[in-house]
Amino acid sequence: MRPNRDTATHVHSDWLWLSVFPLGFFVFLSWGLITIPLPWQLHLDWIPSLDIGFDWTIDALSAQFLVLITGIGTMVFIYASGYLSHTQHAGRLFSVMLLFRAAMAGAVRADQLLMLIVCWELTSLNTFILLGYNHSSEQARDAARQALFITLGGGLALLAGFILLWQISGTWSLQTIIRSGPQMVSDPRLPAALILVFIGCFTKSAQFPFHFWLPNAMSAPTPASAYLHSATMVKLGIYLLARLDPAFNGLLLWEVTLISVGSITAVWAAMLALRERDLKRILARSTVSALGTLVLLIGLPHEQASVAAVAFLYAHALYKAPLFFIAGNIDHATGTRSIDHLMGLRRYMPFTTVAAVLAGLSMAGLPLSFGYVAKGVVSAVKSETDLLLLISYGLLFVNAVAVAVAAVAAIRVFWGPVNPAFEKVREVSWRMLVPPLLIAAIGLEFEFLPTVADPLLISAAGAIAPGSDIRQLVAEYPTKSMLTATEVTLFVGLLLFLFWERLHRMLSRMSHLDRFGPGAQFDHLLNGLTRVAAWHTKTLQHGNLAGYMRLTIVAIVGIGLLAWLSSTHPQGSALTAGLLSGGEHLWALSAAAVFVMAGALAAPFLWDRLALLMAIGVVGYGSAVLFLFAGAPDVAFTQFMVETVLVVVAAAVLPHFGAPVRHSEPRLLNATIAIAAGVGTFLLLVHLFSLPADISLAEWFAGHSLTEAYGRNVVNVVLVDFRAFDTFGEIAVVAFSALAAWPLLRKLQKRRGSP
């Protein structure tokens, strides 16, 4: 999204100082990694009875993600201070990005599954806000809503998977679950738990068939897009899969699912990148393809695949963040991101051109870049693993498309004839140049200084695959097979770049991809949901109070009878046991039942409002007598008071109403439902009375009321001590209701004094 140029003359805010926060965390983390050996652990009790606490564990894998989150986050904030300096409400975006960084950092540090899911969902909510930042744009609102539905839906599936893992392992600790993974394999609930975890991770990291939301997320401002794609949310699913890999990598379900889904995502997204014309959407498609490759690498059984995964993860962050910055610079300077109009910009944006070339070298996997090292490790793992030939060719195509995309971003846009419309284009400010130049240069620096990156990356790989014996990441330039693979990839990528226009036209004509793809199916699902909601509202929310009562009574009685019929307690003596449970008060309970039945039977045949009110009052008084002799005198006296006040107040206002209106209600249906409700309630209560009483809670309250709360009246102690917050909530509800009714009462008082 471009800054609002209409406000550029009078809106200027300097938000550079906010970069101190991620920079401070980055410096502190770097100092800790140098001086304090990993892992770092912290435990704070939260709910000890449920074994839930604020548990943080930072090992090498978590540290790798934290370095990306804080390091690239610092560059994002510096870049955003220039990109959004003349944009209204920029402070809102910066505050959300700070929360975004905190949520992502909390997710990769959390050792408790519940803390992980909280931070997981916070990243989804923050992404929704970032994508909808330009809320006046319908496209931005649709993209934000789509991302929210998919990622939050996946989060709910992930929560269900975590609950199953907790039930299987008996712990919420992620590290304990990983250690007990081999013992969990025989549990029949494990496949369902893993499938739910897959759904959560695939939706978060835009895997097929949930991949379509990420390219649509380009409605977010460029700083947010760079952060989202390189270091934060879309990598969170990759992180969780890598974290759980040591526990479940021996399962066929784990291996087949990750390899198949990762391969399909990588190839499909790479092909779709050839259909795009918007530079940011091209980069977004390539991100989806890279995420698919990472999922594939995690699923490979070879132990060196973990090294390839962490190396490629780092390389992708080091070239994708600069490329998004460059796309933002171009959009900021020229007002467009369409590659149809972008040519010859090297004459007007030389520093941006240098950053694009450096990042493009790494993305294409050319020598003297860390991308070359990472892709070399990936090629080595691919050659040592028994992969299907189709998957191997697919990965070759994916790497070739990455070369073509790098060429588009670094060559096509900046070289060639100059577009006359860009003669007044000028280079962007230093705040928008330093971040892409620095990150892209680091991508080269890692190749020259491997000892800087190797310890952390090798340790992170060891966290994914314990026992890995790789000690150093090196680019084996003399290896003939690697050079051959590189040459083939570069050759195919060059062909794709040269024939980009023809491929684009050919793929654009395949309209069925848009009509029947997952994105279209998602739209159909939303439209169907809208139609179901309209039908539901028309059918159930019809505004007829009697209809609401019928539906409510039928549902309650149905649920009660279902519970009664499914009970394993013997039903034969239920009636006798229930009737005899009244003991010496059986006569009083019988009299109460007579009162209730008399009032209930008289009510349907009375049309005079006062007589109907008295009949309903008889039902209430009969219920109060029932409570009185059933051991609940406080409830009984409350019922007596409420019924008396109701009858008195209602009788006082009845003369102000006219004659009752006879409605055309289905009297036979109402009578049938009423009789069924009465009989069903009777059977359910008789069954409940016949069950053995569980008095353990009553005994606990009776034994602790005096010693713990210094009160002899157990009911009062329960209300004001053991249920203090509940009682306070009830009082608050009554108080708020009184406050809400106070203006109406004052208005009635004024009307009463008027003529």
Side-chain angles (χ1 to χ4, degrees):
M1 189 199 77
R2 294 174 53 202
N4 188 347
R5 297 182 183 276
D6 296 336
T7 60
T9 58
H10 62 277
V11 176
H12 180 79
S13 300
D14 192 350
W15 299 97
L16 181 61
W17 62 275
L18 284 177
S19 60
V20 172
F21 292 100
L23 178 61
F25 280 101
F26 178 75
V27 172
F28 177 76
L29 177 65
S30 302
W31 173 81
L33 292 175
I34 295 173
T35 59
I36 305 174
L38 295 172
W40 307 337
Q41 293 181 329
L42 174 67
H43 172 74
L44 296 175
D45 286 331
W46 182 20
I47 310 177
S49 60
L50 298 179
D51 191 28
I52 297 175
F54 292 98
D55 292 349
W56 286 352
T57 299
I58 300 178
D59 61 358
L61 182 61
S62 299
Q64 177 186 1
F65 276 85
L66 288 174
V67 167
L68 292 177
I69 294 166
T70 56
I72 293 183
T74 302
M75 297 296 103
V76 167
F77 275 81
I78 294 174
Y79 180 86
S81 68
Y83 187 86
L84 302 171
S85 60
H86 294 87
T87 304
Q88 285 184 326
H89 310 299
R92 182 179 63 192
L93 181 67
F94 279 97
S95 62
V96 175
M97 285 200 299
L98 282 174
L99 292 174
F100 193 25
R101 186 204 62 80
M104 184 67 190
V108 300
R109 289 180 297 184
D111 185 44
Q112 282 281 337
L113 295 182
L114 292 181
M115 292 303 301
L116 174 58
I117 198 67
V118 169
C119 295
W120 183 286
E121 295 296 62
L122 282 177
T123 61
S124 298
L125 291 175
N126 287 322
T127 301
F128 168 73
I129 299 173
L130 291 174
L131 298 187
Y133 173 72
N134 184 20
H135 51 78
S136 60
S137 169
E138 182 179 0
Q139 180 183 4
R141 296 195 302 269
D142 291 341
R145 183 168 54 248
Q146 185 182 80
L148 183 70
F149 286 166
I150 294 175
T151 56
L152 281 186
L156 291 176
L158 182 66
L159 176 60
F162 281 173
I163 292 174
L164 283 177
L165 289 178
W166 165 69
Q167 291 178 344
I168 297 170
S169 63
T171 180
W172 291 106
S173 172
L174 186 59
Q175 296 295 328
T176 306
I177 290 174
I178 294 172
R179 288 193 296 268
S180 60
Q183 290 76 34
M184 300 166 59
V185 172
S186 59
D187 195 292
R189 294 169 292 181
L190 184 60
L194 293 182
I195 290 173
L196 292 170
V197 171
F198 287 150
I199 293 174
C201 294
F202 292 165
T203 53
K204 183 70 76 172
S205 292
Q207 297 299 291
F208 185 90
F210 310 106
H211 61 284
F212 54 88
W213 74 265
L214 190 55
N216 295 336
M218 292 304 96
S219 58
T222 295
S225 298
Y227 208 15
L228 182 75
H229 284 251
S230 60
T232 52
M233 177 175 157
V234 296
K235 299 286 178 67
L236 191 50
I238 304 298
Y239 165 78
L240 184 57
L241 291 174
R243 176 62 73 196
L244 294 175
D245 187 63
F248 307 116
N249 59 4
L251 293 176
L252 182 63
L253 173 64
W254 182 271
E255 179 180 340
V256 171
T257 302
L258 295 188
I259 292 178
S260 58
V261 172
S263 301
I264 293 172
T265 303
V267 175
W268 184 255
M271 185 186 71
L272 293 180
L274 301 175
R275 303 183 76 211
E276 301 291 348
R277 310 302 291 173
D278 184 288
L279 184 57
K280 279 183 68 174
R281 288 183 63 89
I282 293 173
L283 295 175
R285 295 289 188 188
S286 68
T287 295
V288 176
S289 181
L291 294 173
T293 303
L294 287 170
V295 171
L296 166 65
L297 292 174
I298 294 173
L300 292 177
H302 199 283
E303 64 178 16
Q304 294 191 8
S306 61
V307 182
V310 297
F312 186 62
L313 179 75
Y314 243 51
H316 178 264
L318 293 178
Y319 67 69
K320 190 52 63 73
L323 289 176
F324 270 104
F325 289 149
I326 290 161
N329 289 355
I330 293 172
D331 186 26
H332 190 276
T334 65
T336 181
R337 298 195 304 256
S338 174
I339 61 175
D340 295 328
H341 308 292
L342 297 174
M343 289 184 181
L345 291 179
R346 72 185 187 282
R347 300 185 181 183
Y348 309 112
M349 306 178 70
F351 295 104
T352 300
T353 304
V354 172
V357 171
L358 295 179
L361 289 175
S362 187
M363 183 175 183
L366 293 176
L368 301 182
S369 69
F370 191 70
Y372 178 79
V373 178
K375 292 188 177 182
V377 177
V378 172
S379 299
V381 172
K382 185 177 67 173
S383 62
E384 296 177 7
T385 306
D386 294 331
L387 283 177
L388 294 176
L389 188 62
L390 183 62
I391 296 179
S392 298
Y393 286 143
L395 290 179
L396 176 64
F397 172 72
V398 169
N399 292 333
V401 172
V403 173
V405 171
V408 169
I411 298 177
R412 172 169 177 159
V413 172
F414 294 97
W415 268 261
V418 178
N419 189 336
F422 298 151
E423 291 181 355
K424 297 183 179 180
V425 169
R426 295 293 179 267
E427 187 64 273
V428 295
S429 67
W430 67 270
R431 299 183 187 185
M432 300 169 65
L433 289 174
V434 170
L437 284 170
L438 182 59
I439 298 176
I442 291 175
L444 299 180
E445 188 69 15
F446 272 138
E447 165 60 12
F448 295 118
L449 297 176
T451 55
V452 176
D454 281 2
L456 182 60
L457 296 183
I458 297 301
S459 299
I464 302 175
S468 177
D469 59 353
I470 296 181
R471 299 181 180 180
Q472 188 178 7
L473 287 173
V474 293
E476 299 182 5
Y477 296 100
T479 303
K480 183 178 179 180
S481 60
M482 187 178 300
L483 288 175
T484 302
T486 302
E487 291 171 354
V488 172
T489 301
L490 292 176
F491 177 73
V492 176
L494 180 61
L495 290 179
L496 292 176
F497 172 66
L498 294 176
F499 292 96
W500 185 285
E501 296 299 332
R502 292 187 181 182
L503 292 171
H504 172 76
R505 287 194 296 268
M506 180 182 67
L507 293 173
S508 296
R509 287 194 293 267
M510 298 180 181
S511 57
H512 58 277
L513 296 178
D514 300 318
R515 294 198 308 269
F516 304 106
Q521 300 306 316
F522 176 80
D523 294 334
H524 295 329
L525 178 63
L526 287 186
N527 294 332
L529 183 62
T530 302
R531 289 192 292 269
V532 170
W535 169 84
H536 174 274
T537 303
K538 182 180 179 180
T539 305
L540 301 180
Q541 305 295 327
H542 42 66
N544 188 341
L545 182 59
Y548 294 158
M549 290 296 298
R550 283 192 294 268
L551 183 61
T552 303
I553 293 173
V554 169
I556 293 175
V557 174
I559 294 173
L561 290 179
L562 181 63
W564 178 52
L565 294 174
S566 61
S567 174
T568 58
H569 188 73
Q571 309 287 339
S573 60
L575 180 60
T576 303
L579 292 176
L580 295 179
S581 64
E584 59 183 7
H585 302 301
L586 184 59
W587 62 272
L589 298 176
S590 301
V594 171
F595 275 107
V596 172
M597 288 189 293
L601 291 174
F605 303 99
L606 297 174
W607 285 102
D608 183 77
R609 281 199 174 97
L610 183 58
L612 180 60
L613 179 64
M614 298 304 294
I616 297 175
V618 170
V619 175
Y621 275 101
S623 301
V625 173
L626 179 65
F627 295 145
L628 181 62
F629 290 96
D634 53 336
V635 179
F637 288 124
T638 302
Q639 182 75 12
F640 280 128
M641 182 184 65
V642 170
E643 290 296 335
T644 302
V645 172
L646 177 62
V647 171
V648 172
V649 173
V653 300
L654 278 180
H656 296 281
F657 293 88
V661 180
R662 294 180 180 268
H663 297 283
S664 57
E665 283 291 330
R667 298 175 66 86
L668 180 60
L669 177 62
N670 290 343
T672 303
I673 293 176
I675 293 172
V679 174
T681 304
F682 173 74
L683 294 175
L684 184 61
L685 291 176
V686 166
H687 177 65
L688 291 176
F689 274 114
S690 68
L691 296 176
D694 183 5
I695 60 174
S696 57
L697 190 59
E699 292 177 346
W700 189 92
F701 281 122
H704 291 78
S705 293
L706 183 60
T707 58
E708 299 290 338
Y710 308 102
R712 298 182 183 277
N713 189 317
V714 178
V715 175
N716 289 347
V717 169
V718 171
L719 290 176
V720 301
D721 285 282
F722 295 119
R723 286 182 52 198
F725 281 108
D726 190 13
T727 305
F728 177 76
E730 295 172 355
I731 296 173
V733 169
V734 175
F736 292 149
S737 300
L739 290 175
W742 178 248
L744 299 176
L745 296 176
R746 291 189 61 184
K747 190 171 183 179
L748 288 175
Q749 187 177 13
K750 291 180 180 180
R751 289 183 59 184
R752 196 174 288 176
S754 62

